[in-house]
Amino acid sequence: KAGVTQTPRYLIKTRGQQVTLSCSPISGHRSVSWYQQTPGQGLQFLFEYFSETQRNKGNFPGRFSGRQFSNSRSEMNVSTLELGDSALYLCASSQTSFRDSGYEQYFGPGTRLTVT
Amino acid sequence: AQSVAQPEDQVNVAEGNPLTVKCTYSVSGNPYLFWYVQYPNRGLQFLLKYITGDNLVKGSYGFEAEFNKSQTSFHLKKPSALVSDSALYFCAVREGGYNKLIFGAGTRLAVHP
């Protein structure tokens, strides 16, 4: 099976712009989660989608949003970019999102966003 | 709120020696614990998980982890380290239901020839 794919891999944007990142999960996986990784804050959960519904949201401002399509592919959007949004954005997929399931998440290679 | 702590920023080990990367957790209820590894310019790779059952969990690439409920620890171990094991290791706990993971700060493992 192909792994989780993320596009683009690298992105340079200017403050105030917006950006859309894309994630294709492993075939058959219906849950997609997004994480932000920075040297200062480490790995932080952004949100999770399952069956096109946001199940969980982390502590990020409303400038960060996402969606999931019927084929389980997901996008996240960051509007009005700030310098502090520079980070590696990781997408992860899992077989399920049911409570008390122990399925692991599989991560993509990430999108490196640089805001100048 | 759930949390995990990785007390060591870096662990140095000689090739062929056993290695341990430490993780302690704080959760309410039964913990779902995970270890991931990250190589430079790569995403996270799943190593192993503890959900329930045996306290010794075996995972990928010869790694294993020991769940200790009384010490609230989930240390990652390998009997004989390889130079190729050098990477950044993350311990994580699932928070609440669904798929939200809370990660530790990470431990950089350096295996020297």
Side-chain angles (χ1 to χ4, degrees):
Chain A
K1 273 186 181 179
V4 178
T5 58
Q6 292 186 245
T7 56
R9 291 292 310 277
Y10 302 91
L11 207 49
I12 300 175
K13 289 286 188 179
T14 304
R15 267 184 307 175
Q17 289 185 316
Q18 73 167 17
V19 66
T20 299
L21 312 181
S22 180
C23 172
S24 293
I26 291 171
S27 177
H29 286 193
R30 295 166 61 192
S31 167
V32 174
S33 299
W34 288 89
Y35 294 83
Q36 182 196 64
Q37 185 177 22
T38 60
Q41 299 299 316
L43 279 156
Q44 293 185 287
F45 173 82
L46 280 157
F47 29 64
E48 184 209 2
Y49 286 88
F50 179 77
S51 291
E52 303 178 64
T53 301
Q54 188 180 90
R55 289 282 187 145
N56 237 327
K57 191 176 190 307
N59 190 24
F60 279 83
R63 299 185 298 106
F64 292 81
S65 63
R67 61 177 175 169
Q68 187 179 34
F69 302 95
S70 58
N71 62 357
S72 295
R73 190 177 69 85
S74 177
E75 290 181 346
M76 68 163 281
N77 183 277
V78 187
S79 62
T80 319
L81 284 165
E82 301 177 359
L83 294 178
D85 297 334
S86 294
L88 181 65
Y89 290 89
L90 294 164
C91 163
S93 77
S94 178
Q95 287 183 278
T96 184
S97 181
F98 299 122
R99 188 174 288 276
D100 294 330
S101 71
Y103 290 109
E104 58 272 19
Q105 295 179 52
Y106 292 91
F107 284 78
T111 294
R112 173 76 62 187
L113 172 65
T114 302
V115 182
T116 62
Chain B
Q2 329 282 50
S3 66
V4 291
Q6 294 180 244
E8 302 156 317
D9 290 337
Q10 179 150 335
V11 170
N12 296 296
V13 178
E15 187 175 30
N17 282 1
L19 70 87
T20 299
V21 183
K22 295 180 180 177
C23 172
T24 59
Y25 65 89
S26 174
V27 304
S28 54
N30 294 322
Y32 287 9
L33 296 160
F34 303 83
W35 275 102
Y36 285 86
V37 60
Q38 186 176 36
Y39 295 96
N41 300 317
R42 303 274 294 274
L44 278 69
Q45 294 181 32
F46 169 75
L47 284 177
L48 50 79
K49 65 183 179 184
Y50 174 82
I51 305 301
T52 186
D54 289 340
N55 290 340
L56 186 63
V57 179
K58 293 191 182 297
S60 307
Y61 314 118
F63 284 94
E64 57 189 27
E66 186 172 8
F67 173 72
N68 188 315
K69 189 172 183 178
S70 62
Q71 297 186 5
T72 62
S73 66
F74 188 56
H75 300 333
L76 182 70
K77 300 182 179 184
K78 188 174 183 182
S80 180
L82 300 172
V83 172
S84 57
D85 292 330
S86 299
L88 189 54
Y89 290 80
F90 290 96
C91 180
V93 63
R94 200 192 73 179
E95 177 169 283
Y98 313 124
N99 282 322
K100 179 179 179 180
L101 289 178
I102 305 299
F103 285 90
T107 298
R108 189 163 300 281
L109 173 67
V111 182
H112 305 284

